[in-house]
């Protein structure tokens, strides 16, 4: 009858803990420094705030333009608005007017 006699290795019992530590270190590092980690989350939040600010500015500009278009529409044509736009785009004024640039 044959029996197998194993030599006890000192490093054999450390293999699984070393692999576990390496595995946890890899994923721990990437959970903080990775593209979708904590630092990536901070970058996404900064971009979101920046883009929300830009969106607010654009919405305000659009509302202003929509009001001006409503004043220039056929149903409610305002003479003052037409006169103001024509003077602005043609860069003209009457002889008895004072022009103040701001």
């Amino acid at each position: 009858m044959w029996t197998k006699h194993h030599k006890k290795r000192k490093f054999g019992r450390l293999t699984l803990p070393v692999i576990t530590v390496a595995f946890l270190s890899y994923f721990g590092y990437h959970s903080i420094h990775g593209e979708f980690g904590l630092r990536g989350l901070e970058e996404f939040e900064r971009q979101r705030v920046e883009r929300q600010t830009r969106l607010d500015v654009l919405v305000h500009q659009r509302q202003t333009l929509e009001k001006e278009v409503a004043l220039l529409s056929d149903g409610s044509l305002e003479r003052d608005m037409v006169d103001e736009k024509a003077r602005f785009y043609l860069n003209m004024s009457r002889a008895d007017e004072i022009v103040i640039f701001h």
Side-chain angles (χ1 to χ4, degrees), residues 18-63:
V18 167
I19 290 173
T20 304
V21 167
F23 182 80
L24 292 175
S25 298
Y26 175 79
F27 285 107
Y29 175 81
H30 286 287
S31 69
I32 294 172
H33 298 286
E35 184 178 348
F36 299 107
L38 295 176
R39 295 217 175 137
L41 181 65
E42 291 172 358
E43 178 66 20
F44 286 148
E45 183 64 22
R46 185 192 61 76
Q47 286 180 358
R48 187 194 66 79
V49 168
E50 179 181 306
R51 290 177 181 167
Q52 182 65 42
T53 304
R54 178 72 179 140
L55 177 65
D56 294 341
V57 169
L58 291 174
V59 165
H60 179 50
Q61 287 177 352
R62 181 183 174 113
Q63 289 173 347

Side-chain angles (χ1 to χ4, degrees), residues 44-102:
F44 286 148
E45 183 64 22
R46 185 192 61 76
Q47 286 180 358
R48 187 194 66 79
V49 168
E50 179 181 306
R51 290 177 181 167
Q52 182 65 42
T53 304
R54 178 72 179 140
L55 177 65
D56 294 341
V57 169
L58 291 174
V59 165
H60 179 50
Q61 287 177 352
R62 181 183 174 113
Q63 289 173 347
T64 303
L65 289 173
E66 285 177 351
K67 287 178 186 176
E68 289 179 5
V69 168
L71 291 174
L72 291 173
S73 66
D74 289 337
S76 64
L77 191 59
E78 294 281 333
R79 290 189 77 222
D80 292 337
M81 182 59 83
V82 173
D83 188 46
E84 176 187 336
K85 291 295 178 186
R87 288 169 187 252
F88 178 76
Y89 289 118
L90 297 175
N91 198 18
M92 299 179 73
S93 64
R94 295 187 194 135
D96 63 339
E97 292 180 337
I98 298 172
V99 179
I100 301 172
F101 296 102
H102 58 78

